[in-house]
Every structure is written in C-alpha cells, then in structure tokens.
Amino acid sequence: MSTQKHDIELQSEQRYVAGLYARLDSERERVKDRYRATLRGPIDPQDGGTLVDRDAEVRALARQMTRLDVADAGLCFGRLDSLTGERLYIGRIGILDENTEFEPLLLDWRAPAARPFYVATGASPENMHLRRQFRTRGRRILDFTDEVFGRPGADERGGRGDTALLAAVNAPRGDGMRDIVATIQAEQDEIIRLEHQGVLVIEGGPGTGKTVVALHRVAYLLYTQRKRIEHHGVLVIGPNPAFLDHVGRVLPSLGESNVVFMTVGDLVPGLSVTAEDGPDAARLKGSLSMLDVLHGAIADRQRVPEQPLPIDLADTSVRIDAETAEWAIQEARASKQPHNDARAVFTDVITWVLTERAIAKIGRGWLTRDDRAAWEHLRAELLDELSDHEKFTTALDDLWPMLTPETLLAELYTSHERLQAAGGDRALWRAEGDAWTVADVPLLDELVDLLGRDKAADQAAEQERREEAAYAAGVLDLMTSREDMMDDEDRLMAQDVIGAEDLAERFTERDNRDLAERAAADRDWTYRHVVVDEAQELSEMDWRVLMRRCPSRSFTVVGDLAQRRSVAGATSWDTMLKPYVPGRWIYRPLTVNYRTPAEIMAVAAALLAEFAPGVTPPESVRATGVEPWARRVTPDELHAAIDDFIREEAAQEGTSVVIGPPDVPGAVSASETKGLEYDAVLVVEPERILADGPRGAAELYVALTRATQRLGVLHLGPLPKALAGLTP
C-alpha cells in the first residue's frame, strides 16, 4: 500500500472510530441520566416497587456505567474483512446501529463472530480476507498494520502477524498487569473460549500468559453466562497480595467488577495470618491426614468423667457417672450433627438419666410410673431446676464443651498431650497457639463445619429482628388509630402503604456494600466460578476449602508444576483434582513465552534441565539482543553493586527488582515475585537460593524468569553450573 493510500485509509478509519466514540458518549449520558433518575425517583408500592428493587436497578446501572467508562481506553483495536466483503470492527464492547435494525457497528471481542480476529491464519483464514490491527493512543489511531490472507508469502505455519504483539511485549512494564484483549493469540483464544463446565487446568512455563488468559476467560464466561455467574460472582485466588494487586486491574479494564481477589490466607474472614510454618508442619497441615487429627481433637473434648460428678438438687442428689456420659456421647455422635449442635443430644441424654434417677429417689414408696401425670409434673420441676443449676452446666461444659475453631486449634497446638490424643505429629506443636499461619486457614475453615454454628448468636439476631417488627407494628397501630377530618372511604391508611416488616427495615442499617465486598466478608458465600493461580502451591487441604466455595465445581486452574515451591503443593494435577471432579477436569498447555526474551530463557532452561529434566521449557517469541550478565563480588562490594543496579535502572523507563536471600538489603524473595514481571531483574547470590531447601531450584527458576528485558546476577561464591555461561 502506498503512503498516500495508507494515509487516506488512516483518516477513514479515524472518522469511523470517532463515530464509535460519539455513540459511546451518547450511551454513557443516557445511562447516567437513567441512573440519576432512578436514584431520585419515588417508590410506588401500588406498582409493587420496593427499596430493594430500586437498589438492584441502581447497582445494575452503576455496573453498566463502569463498563462504558472502561471501554474508553482502546475502544476499537481492529477490523476484519471477510471474503464476501463484509467488514467487522472489533473492540472492547459491542455497539449497535439503532438506525439499521441493530446491525453491529462494533463487535465485542468475546462474540463468536470476533473469533477469527484471533485465530485466522494464512493456512486457515476462517473465510477472512484481511485482518487490520490498530495502534491507538486515547481516541486517536496512530497507525495500522494489515495481514492479507491467502496471498503469496502468507504465514503458513499457523501463526499471525507479530507487529501488535511485539509492540505490547516490548513495551516497558507499568505498575500492574495489562489486558491482552487486542493481542490474544490463537492458542490463548482457544482456551479463553473453551466451554468446558468443570475444571480447566492451564499449565504453562514462565511468560506464557497463563494468568492473563485465565482472567480473560473469566470475562468471556461473564459475557456468555452472565445470568448464571454475575449474581454470585467470581473468586480469584493468588499467591500473595502483591500478585493480586498486579493482576487486579485486568478484569475491571474489561468492564467486569463482580470479582473477589484473595489469597488462601484470606479465606476465613477476620483472621490475621502472622506466622510462618516450618517445612514439616506445612507438609503435615496440608495433607488430608489432618482430617483425622481434627476429628481426633474434637473427640478428645467429648469426654467421660474420671470420677462420678455429684449434682445436688433441692430434694435429692444424683451423679453423672462414666457409663451415663459414654452413652450420651455415643448418642450424640450417632446424630451425625456437628459437635456444637450435637451437644443438645448429649445434654438430653444426661438430663433424662438424671431426672429418671431423681424421680425414682424422690418418689420411692409413693410414686409409680403408672401415675404419669405426677411423674411428668415432677420431671418438669427437675428440668426447670437443672436449667439454672450452675454445677450441672459446669459439668456439661467440662464433658462436652462448646468450641470455636480458633479455641480448639490453638489449644491443640500448645499441648503435647492433646496432640498425642488426637493422633497429631509432634511437629505441629508450637508455643503460641493462635499465631496463625496460611496452612492453618483451611483447618480453621474445616472446623467451622465440624463444630457447627453458634446458634445462640443466630437466635439473638432473629429475636432482635422480631422485636423490631413488633415495635414497628405498634407504630402502625398508633398511626391508624388517630382520628382526622377525612371520611373513612377517602382515608389512605398507613398499612395500605407499608407493612410492619417493611417499616422495621427503615430502622435497620442497610447493607450498601457491592457484591465483591459482601462476598469477601461472608465465609458461607458460594461462587459460580473460581480462578486459582499458582495452583501448584496449594495443598490438599487448600483444595477442600475452595471446593466448598464453589459447589458447581467450575474452576480455571493455572499453574506450572516445575515452579512448585511448597512442600505440600501439587506433584500432579490428577492427585489434587480426582477426589473432587473425577472425569470432569481437562488439561490445556501453553507453550509460547511472551515475556522472557530468548537470551534470558536459555539460562533458565539450563537450570530447568537440571531439576526437572522431563519438562520442556516454553519457546520465547522474541529476542532482544541483550545478553544476561553475571559478576562475582566480595561481601564488601555487594551493597555498592546493588546500589549501582538500582541507580542505573531508575534512569530508565520501566520497573526493576532485586531478588535474593532475606538478609540481602533491598531484596525480595523469589516467592514474593511469583506471577509478576519486571523490565530488569538483579538476582543476588543465586548459589544460596539454590541451596535453600528442597525447592531452591524452583525458587531460582522463578527469579531468573521475571525479567522482560534485562537480567543481571551478583554472586559471592561459585556460580551454579546452570548459570556458568552468563557473560561476565
């Protein structure tokens, strides 16, 4: 295409995109006007309107405004021309032409008709003649590139033009992950649009885009299954807060906000993780064998008295002996109720035995079972006495105590005797029982179900609600009993407008939090879809928590077994998933590295070959011509060398990080950078990272593959063999 023709085409495309933005602005104003009108508008009970209905409409309009606002950035990023001459523009959202029976002016990237934009190749053009990709800034098209399918020299390898892709991967990194909606590749698109209803496992080496593919898959599912998913939301699990902050912008940039971002440590609302387990404790806590320990810990608190416990009543004295307590325990356990709920069964058995014995003693010589009325009258008096009997209540608390997950687990950890009784390993002991670790979270969550709810608190809340409704009913009575000057047939009574329950709600503080806030604070919230990133780090117990959070078992699982660091993590996907979704999980690999340049990946691949020889490293899509380097320094030179790196990188555009052992000033650990990417990375003392435990090699592999442009290494001792080829 000549320069003149190119410029004419560019102007034409700019006019078209300007028209799209005009439609976007118009629609945005229309939705804002409706939002303001709904917010201010009256509620007409005669038409069935309620505050709840209005709140729902306001929230829906707010979400719609958000989608329109985020579409402003890169609204339209390409065009498809079919063999029949049809022209389709592809963008972040769909825009219809209301003047021509709603023909699409802009096609949402998730729509089926947009798929050829991502998968068409010279070998398989998908009935397309041309793909045009725009390079934009704000609302302006800076340039475009064309791929004509079927012409001589067209790509027959199944690839696609790399201009837009290379521009994206070579761009300096910012503060957060960017969406790839304009540059999705064919193997990524296949996974994003996969209609599998169960668990999808996406495995890929460093830089293959598995995280961003998983997030775009969420956006696609929300587009195709919005009614099923939106009102319950999506949960995204990541390895650490820095990672979640890094990826947290992707879905909002695609107009999706009903998403909760958490680490495993956040899954029990209100719990604060303050400590870290050693390898042995982490391995034990992550194993399903901990279920036996938890059951054993609960059973240990359901006990019989060593000596009979006397209960002195007004007219006689009875005892709780071991035989009675054992019978009560068996009956309570046989009820299959959680521990705290089953206490009622335990109490009923104990109470029945004590009242029977007491009646027999009190009525000796004058009362028989044939006199049922007298017998039951005496039982009622005894039951009333026992309900307020301090020593009886103390005995019940000792034999079958009400327990909380935190209390049970903390007391288990700090007692060698309790650990032994529960079948727990000595490695689980610790001095501070409530110094919670990430591995404690799934155990505490499990105990919520094993112990049961605090029914007293639930009953108190229900009683408060009933009292508020009763008060409101009294207010209505006062309102309707007043005389006025109107005739009865003309009078609009208060109860015609609002009922007692509705009036009571006026005195109750409303929950105005959005779905994500409400879901994050509710342990019992269930999601319609869950994304698990760095899934190789999750233990068997972690998976039990997540399966409870998603009863439909709809998951997108992202990971790389070669990068596993956790001693309790996955050694195979089948081991972790088969107990929950046998036959319902599928596997899809990603093989192309879009982040790590070939020069750096060659170094990382050499290390991978040493500790995971059966794993094929991903193939880098680009080379930068910049070789990674290594430099040996003395301890006295180390700090100055780190400072030099930081100062030099500060003068360049982009991001940088220093990765090293915990005692290196200014360095972060490799585990803290999992899933993140930087323009430049300095790895300090790789020999020590490699020597740090059984997963040191995986730690070093992670560290080496965070860089998108430049990699440097500082070492004090001999350089690890895999890094020996680095440029001095």
Side-chain angles (χ1 to χ4, degrees):
M1 183 184 298
S2 68
T3 302
Q4 183 180 9
K5 185 176 180 182
H6 182 276
D7 291 343
I8 293 172
E9 285 274 320
L10 185 61
Q11 292 172 15
S12 174
E13 299 290 25
Q14 181 63 63
R15 286 192 296 272
Y16 189 88
V17 170
L20 294 176
Y21 274 109
R23 288 296 308 277
L24 176 68
D25 292 339
S26 175
E27 179 65 10
R28 184 186 289 128
E29 284 305 311
R30 187 189 69 80
V31 174
K32 284 183 178 178
D33 289 343
R34 186 178 169 195
Y35 175 84
R36 288 190 289 264
T38 303
L39 202 58
R40 295 192 304 261
I43 298 172
D44 187 357
Q46 299 296 331
D47 291 336
T50 66
L51 286 171
V52 174
D53 294 333
R54 185 177 71 177
D55 287 349
E57 186 175 1
V58 166
R59 290 180 189 276
L61 290 168
R63 288 194 297 270
Q64 193 173 349
M65 284 193 300
T66 299
R67 291 192 182 102
L68 294 173
D69 286 340
V70 299
D72 223 322
L75 174 63
C76 177
F77 43 77
R79 189 185 99 190
L80 278 173
D81 293 0
S82 72
L83 292 174
T84 60
E86 182 184 17
R87 181 171 293 180
L88 296 173
Y89 285 85
I90 314 298
R92 289 181 177 274
I93 63 171
I95 295 179
L96 300 177
D97 185 354
E98 298 175 356
N99 299 320
T100 56
E101 296 185 356
F102 296 97
E103 285 294 317
L105 297 174
L106 183 67
L107 201 61
D108 191 299
W109 67 275
R110 295 166 288 192
R115 191 166 187 264
F117 185 79
Y118 300 109
V119 302
T121 66
S124 181
E126 302 282 330
N127 295 318
M128 293 297 154
H129 166 65
L130 177 142
R131 171 171 49 221
R132 174 169 291 178
Q133 292 180 275
F134 299 146
R135 185 163 63 88
T136 63
R137 180 180 299 153
R139 296 188 169 199
R140 182 181 167 212
I141 300 178
L142 301 178
D143 201 357
F144 65 81
T145 57
D146 284 346
E147 295 171 76
V148 179
F149 302 119
R151 69 181 180 185
D155 188 353
E156 298 298 325
R157 298 170 300 167
R160 57 178 282 192
D162 291 332
T163 304
L165 173 64
L166 291 177
V169 297
N170 282 318
R173 264 46 190 173
D175 293 332
M177 180 178 282
R178 296 167 293 195
D179 66 65
I180 58 168
V181 65
T183 58
I184 294 170
Q185 301 299 291
E187 73 168 357
Q188 297 173 330
D189 185 81
E190 178 187 354
I191 293 171
I192 289 169
R193 296 175 191 267
L194 203 60
E195 294 295 340
H196 181 65
Q197 296 296 313
V199 176
L200 166 64
V201 176
I202 306 171
E203 184 165 26
T208 53
K210 51 188 178 292
T211 297
V212 75
V213 165
L215 296 176
H216 282 67
R217 175 168 164 75
V218 169
Y220 175 76
L221 291 175
L222 283 166
Y223 177 80
T224 58
Q225 304 175 31
R226 189 167 298 279
K227 288 184 178 179
R228 183 182 74 86
I229 296 176
E230 187 174 48
H231 295 300
H232 283 256
V234 174
L235 174 63
V236 176
I237 294 292
N240 54 59
F243 171 85
L244 294 178
D245 184 60
H246 179 67
V247 306
R249 304 178 187 182
V250 173
L251 285 168
S253 76
L254 297 173
E256 305 299 347
S257 58
N258 287 350
V259 181
V260 178
F261 293 89
M262 286 186 180
T263 67
V264 171
D266 300 323
L267 286 170
V268 174
L271 188 76
S272 178
V273 172
T274 60
E276 186 174 347
D277 284 310
D280 289 342
R283 176 179 51 79
L284 290 166
K285 291 179 182 180
S287 169
L288 289 179
S289 63
M290 275 302 295
L291 291 173
D292 294 331
V293 176
L294 297 180
H295 282 282
I298 295 172
D300 182 49
R301 307 302 290 268
Q302 303 163 352
R303 52 182 296 273
V304 299
E306 295 179 2
Q307 298 294 332
L309 301 175
I311 305 296
D312 296 324
L313 302 171
D315 298 321
T316 189
S317 179
V318 290
R319 300 187 307 171
I320 304 175
D321 53 33
E323 183 180 7
T324 299
E326 183 62 41
W327 179 32
I329 288 173
Q330 291 176 4
E331 292 295 321
R333 290 176 178 172
S335 73
K336 303 299 183 183
Q337 297 181 75
H339 169 86
N340 290 336
D341 296 341
R343 173 174 158 130
V345 178
F346 178 84
T347 301
D348 286 346
V349 173
I350 296 289
T351 302
W352 185 85
V353 171
L354 294 190
T355 55
E356 284 289 304
R357 290 175 179 174
I359 293 170
K361 284 185 175 183
I362 295 170
R364 184 176 292 124
W366 65 270
L367 180 64
T368 67
R369 287 187 180 274
D370 293 336
D371 190 352
R372 297 305 303 169
W375 192 284
E376 292 304 325
H377 177 74
L378 186 53
R379 183 191 299 281
E381 291 182 341
L382 290 169
L383 289 174
D384 186 58
E385 184 177 358
L386 285 173
S387 67
D388 294 326
H389 199 290
E390 184 176 349
K391 195 168 184 179
F392 179 62
T393 301
T394 300
L396 292 177
D397 290 341
D398 185 49
L399 299 178
W400 194 289
M402 295 291 288
L403 298 169
T404 67
E406 292 82 1
T407 299
L408 178 71
L409 205 57
E411 292 179 355
L412 175 68
Y413 287 151
T414 55
S415 170
H416 288 294
E417 292 75 16
R418 290 195 188 283
L419 278 171
Q420 184 177 7
D425 194 282
R426 291 174 58 86
L428 296 173
W429 184 91
R430 68 187 184 211
E432 294 184 59
D434 59 356
W436 304 118
T437 69
V438 171
D440 290 327
V441 171
L443 308 185
L444 291 167
D445 191 77
E446 190 81 33
L447 285 170
V448 172
D449 289 342
L450 294 180
L451 295 177
R453 295 294 182 182
D454 185 349
K455 288 192 173 181
D458 293 342
Q459 290 168 355
E462 176 60 22
Q463 178 62 27
E464 182 179 1
R465 190 198 66 77
R466 286 197 296 265
E467 289 173 356
E468 288 169 350
Y471 171 77
V475 173
L476 281 177
D477 287 341
L478 288 174
M479 294 169 65
T480 57
S481 64
R482 293 180 59 187
E483 296 287 344
D484 57 31
M485 300 301 293
M486 290 190 295
D487 293 334
D488 286 344
E489 60 268 23
D490 297 325
R491 187 181 301 149
L492 181 63
M493 305 299 287
Q495 67 264 34
D496 294 330
V497 179
I498 188 168
E501 291 282 345
D502 293 328
L503 183 60
E505 287 186 7
R506 297 295 184 93
F507 297 96
T508 304
E509 183 178 349
R510 290 188 170 277
D511 188 348
N512 292 315
R513 298 172 298 173
D514 61 23
L515 181 143
E517 291 174 309
R518 286 183 285 121
D522 186 354
R523 182 263 174 187
D524 292 324
W525 192 279
T526 57
Y527 300 88
R528 287 294 186 263
H529 192 76
V530 176
V531 175
V532 186
D533 210 325
E534 299 294 340
Q536 73 277 356
E537 306 297 342
L538 269 62
S539 69
E540 293 174 316
M541 290 300 296
D542 292 331
W543 280 108
R544 283 181 64 85
V545 182
L546 295 179
M547 292 296 170
R548 280 194 288 272
R549 298 298 190 272
C550 187
S552 64
R553 304 292 196 262
S554 178
F555 282 74
T556 299
V557 177
V558 181
D560 179 10
L561 295 178
Q563 295 186 56
R564 178 179 67 87
R565 182 181 183 274
S566 170
V567 294
T571 55
S572 79
W573 301 118
D574 190 61
T575 300
M576 290 298 185
L577 298 175
K578 191 174 181 179
Y580 308 105
V581 284
R584 285 192 58 219
W585 74 274
I586 60 174
Y587 176 88
R588 292 293 184 272
L590 288 171
T591 60
V592 179
N593 188 331
Y594 300 100
R595 176 179 68 217
T596 316
E599 295 87 348
I600 296 176
M601 197 60 215
V603 178
L607 176 65
L608 182 68
E610 290 186 357
F611 77 92
V615 178
T616 302
E619 181 181 356
S620 294
V621 77
R622 68 195 173 103
T624 62
V626 179
E627 294 293 335
W629 55 267
R631 175 182 160 200
R632 186 165 188 171
V633 295
T634 66
D636 292 339
E637 297 171 331
L638 181 60
H639 291 178
I642 294 174
D643 290 342
D644 288 343
F645 169 82
I646 294 173
R647 184 170 54 254
E648 290 169 5
E649 289 301 329
Q652 301 200 51
E653 188 179 4
T655 60
S656 63
V657 69
V658 177
I659 302 175
D663 57 352
V664 174
V668 300
S669 68
S671 59
E672 292 177 273
T673 66
K674 295 199 86 169
L676 307 182
E677 56 185 30
Y678 306 87
D679 291 275
V681 172
L682 179 67
V683 179
V684 180
E685 297 191 78
E687 65 275 22
R688 286 180 58 194
I689 298 175
L690 194 59
D692 183 21
R695 300 302 303 172
E699 283 273 277
L700 183 55
Y701 182 61
V702 170
L704 294 173
T705 53
R706 298 308 94 193
T708 66
Q709 304 291 341
R710 301 174 294 280
L711 172 67
V713 174
L714 295 176
H715 56 108
L716 301 181
L719 202 60
K721 180 181 177 182
L723 278 62
L726 289 175
T727 304

